[in-house]
Amino acid sequence: MKNAMIDIQLSHRTIREFEPEQIHEETITTLMEVARRTATSNGMQSTSIIRITDPIVKRQIADICKQEYVFRAPVLFVFVADCYRNMRIARDKGCLEESAGDMDRFFQAVTDTCLAAQNVVNAAESLGLGALYLGSILNDAQNLIKVLKLPELTFPIVGLGLGTPNQNPALKPRLGNKFKVFENSYYCFDNYLESIKDYDEEMQTYYDLRNVNQRVDSFSNQIIAKLTTASPVRQDILNVIRSQGFILKLKEMQDIIG
Amino acid sequence: MKNAMIDIQLSHRTIREFEPEQIHEETITTLMEVARRTATSNGMQSTSIIRITDPIVKRQIADICKQEYVFRAPVLFVFVADCYRNMRIARDKGCLEESAGDMDRFFQAVTDTCLAAQNVVNAAESLGLGALYLGSILNDAQNLIKVLKLPELTFPIVGLGLGTPNQNPALKPRLGNKFKVFENSYYCFDNYLESIKDYDEEMQTYYDLRNVNQRVDSFSNQIIAKLTTASPVRQDILNVIRSQGFILKLKEMQDIIG
């Protein structure tokens, strides 16, 4: 069972370079309507989208992302988990509920936000546009919050660049579903390194357009490289979430303080 | 700019009741392939999917969700944020990096997981299937972890029921994009209650199929009702995340302990 949409989904690749042409405003409006109609936890609609049109702001975001091509994306959005709006509605009704910013609401908002982002990506790709997800906006969440003037009880989750692709990257090899899809309970393999051997080899046949002269490393080597270069600022994300007013109730604090 | 896919996205509704017929295995395989090809933070592929086929497990999940119709969904998935697999790959390579379970990796996994879920929903809806997101699996995350035998560094994010719809709910009114989509920085309204007045009224024209004899309440009343009935177990989510081995580095612990 396949169709045109699924063909597009199965050939998803990150597009990092776009034609300079702008996207029609009508298209942007449609994409934002798709975001608006996305499924939402508990009907709370806890997501907002900031569209970046100001080149100064775009530059600041590209700097945070440390990716020059972010500045060149014709359309740039930041998807924001938003518990602020509902808190304000409650407050305006004379109700001051601190649960507006509890971790349950926060995670509902994160989920809402990611679902909206992917819905927009699917709509954009169905129109022939290319998409660039930017997890790298969280390289410095605190700074981004300042740049976008995000109020309390909001938090940036993911950036999204869109445009007409001017590159055609190869499909990146992905780990097989025997490692990812299980029936009724999680299945742990005895030896992962041995089990993913074929995938490790397959990955080395792939060339990343960011560095066309060099094959990429095996998946397991990529994992090691990434896990040994963790960013202390990014690891600090929970403190930034807390500084946005979300309530982190934690038991056994002394254990954590250590 | 619209097309068949976008028409489907713009008419998304939660489907809670399905025809009893099973979905073809070929379709399930395709949907899982769509999940596998979804964009992933940092190439880490930090998501796994548990398909629930055992009626006993399905019953346990329906009980956690407190939604009888979950048991009747022909296809049921739980989407899981998964940092366990990469930790195991690293460990099998003789590398023991605690950053495999840091909050940065955790949030990357959450994002990966939600994007995969929405990608599957779009594929399913493009095939004429109906979708039922289940945030309610988090009513008791600890219990669900036990039921699905989720190992350390994994966490359930969202459930998904799929099948051929046997209901045709009305489109649920959504807050307008002037409250949700902003340019370059977040825009705070002076008075939310006043600003959403039309939407509050529109919401009261909607009938939820779960209770067809009664109009739903205004949006602002729904917000108040939800924020004043917060679930202490759900609010505890961060402690369950921590008990799954994720590392919650927090500053100024004493402030939080209060």
Side-chain angles (χ1 to χ4, degrees), chain A residues 36 38 42 45 49 51 82 85 88 92 99 102 122 174 180 182 186 192 199 226-227 235, chain B residues 36 38 42 45 49 51 82 92 99 102 122 174 179-180 182 186 190 192 199 226-227 235:
Chain A
R36 191 169 86 95
T38 309
N42 229 222
Q45 309 179 56
I49 300 171
R51 179 181 174 192
D82 188 349
R85 186 169 50 240
R88 282 292 311 272
D92 288 350
S99 74
D102 69 26
N122 283 117
R174 290 284 172 83
K180 293 174 166 175
F182 312 113
Y186 195 97
Y192 278 82
Y199 179 59
K226 283 162 188 168
L227 294 186
Q235 291 184 310
Chain B
R36 191 169 85 95
T38 309
N42 228 223
Q45 309 179 55
I49 300 170
R51 179 182 174 193
D82 188 349
D92 288 350
S99 74
D102 70 27
N122 281 327
R174 291 283 174 84
F179 299 100
K180 295 174 165 175
F182 312 113
Y186 196 97
D190 287 333
Y192 278 82
Y199 179 58
K226 282 161 188 169
L227 294 186
Q235 291 184 311

Side-chain angles (χ1 to χ4, degrees), chain A residues 5 12-13 54 57 59 63-65 80 83 94 119 174-175 189 191 199 203 224 238 243 249 252 257:
Chain A
M5 185 59 214
H12 168 79
R13 290 144 305 156
D54 182 339
V57 179
R59 165 57 57 204
D63 287 350
I64 289 169
C65 294
V80 177
C83 296
N119 215 14
R174 290 284 172 83
L175 198 57
F189 287 73
N191 185 319
Y199 179 59
M203 184 63 94
I224 298 292
L238 213 49
S243 72
K249 281 190 189 160
E252 306 157 55
I257 304 170

Side-chain angles (χ1 to χ4, degrees), chain B residues 50-238:
Chain B
I50 318 278
R51 179 182 174 193
I52 314 301
T53 55
D54 182 339
I56 295 170
V57 179
K58 219 169 177 181
R59 166 57 57 203
Q60 289 172 305
I61 293 175
D63 288 348
I64 288 170
C65 293
K66 295 175 191 157
Q67 291 159 329
E68 182 57 28
Y69 48 79
V70 170
F71 185 73
R72 295 193 293 269
V75 176
L76 183 61
F77 295 115
V78 176
F79 285 75
V80 177
D82 188 349
C83 296
Y84 171 82
R85 186 168 51 241
N86 290 343
M87 176 276 284
R88 282 294 309 273
I89 291 170
R91 187 184 286 174
D92 288 350
K93 271 188 107 88
C95 175
L96 253 174
E97 278 305 320
E98 71 162 17
S99 74
D102 70 27
M103 276 287 112
D104 184 25
R105 293 298 168 199
F106 173 76
F107 277 103
Q108 288 189 332
V110 172
T111 303
D112 280 9
T113 303
C114 295
L115 300 188
Q118 182 61 32
N119 214 14
V120 168
V121 164
N122 281 327
E125 291 186 343
S126 81
L127 294 170
L129 300 176
L132 167 66
Y133 270 120
L134 299 164
S136 51
I137 58 163
L138 294 177
N139 286 345
D140 189 349
Q142 192 68 76
N143 189 13
L144 185 64
I145 286 164
K146 202 176 137 196
V147 167
L148 301 181
K149 300 184 177 65
L150 298 185
E152 58 179 321
L153 302 194
T154 62
F155 197 80
I157 300 298
V158 73
L160 178 63
L162 295 175
T164 304
N166 88 343
Q167 60 178 190
N168 189 15
L171 211 57
K172 194 168 182 179
R174 291 283 174 84
L175 198 58
N177 269 346
K178 71 170 175 169
F179 299 100
K180 295 174 165 175
V181 181
F182 312 113
E183 205 165 336
N184 297 312
S185 63
Y186 196 97
Y187 180 79
C188 297
F189 288 73
D190 287 333
N191 185 320
Y192 278 82
L193 197 57
E194 185 60 31
S195 308
I196 69 163
K197 211 172 136 188
D198 290 348
Y199 179 58
D200 256 354
E201 279 172 24
E202 188 194 358
M203 184 62 95
Q204 293 172 78
T205 66
Y206 174 77
Y207 290 80
D208 192 316
L209 288 187
R210 284 172 292 185
N211 189 356
V212 288
N213 298 317
Q214 197 183 322
R215 291 179 186 194
V216 303
D217 210 342
S218 70
F219 184 67
S220 57
N221 280 345
Q222 287 181 38
I223 296 293
I224 299 292
K226 282 161 188 169
L227 294 186
T228 50
T229 54
S231 152
V233 177
R234 287 188 65 122
Q235 291 184 311
D236 202 35
I237 186 168
L238 213 49

Side-chain angles (χ1 to χ4, degrees), chain A residues 52-62 76 147-148, chain B residues 184-185:
Chain A
I52 313 302
T53 55
D54 182 339
I56 296 171
V57 179
K58 219 168 179 183
R59 165 57 57 204
Q60 289 173 306
I61 293 175
L76 184 61
V147 166
L148 301 181
Chain B
N184 297 312
S185 63

Side-chain angles (χ1 to χ4, degrees), chain A residues 203-214:
Chain A
M203 184 63 94
Q204 292 170 80
T205 66
Y206 173 77
Y207 290 79
D208 192 316
L209 288 186
R210 285 173 291 186
N211 189 354
V212 289
N213 298 317
Q214 198 185 320

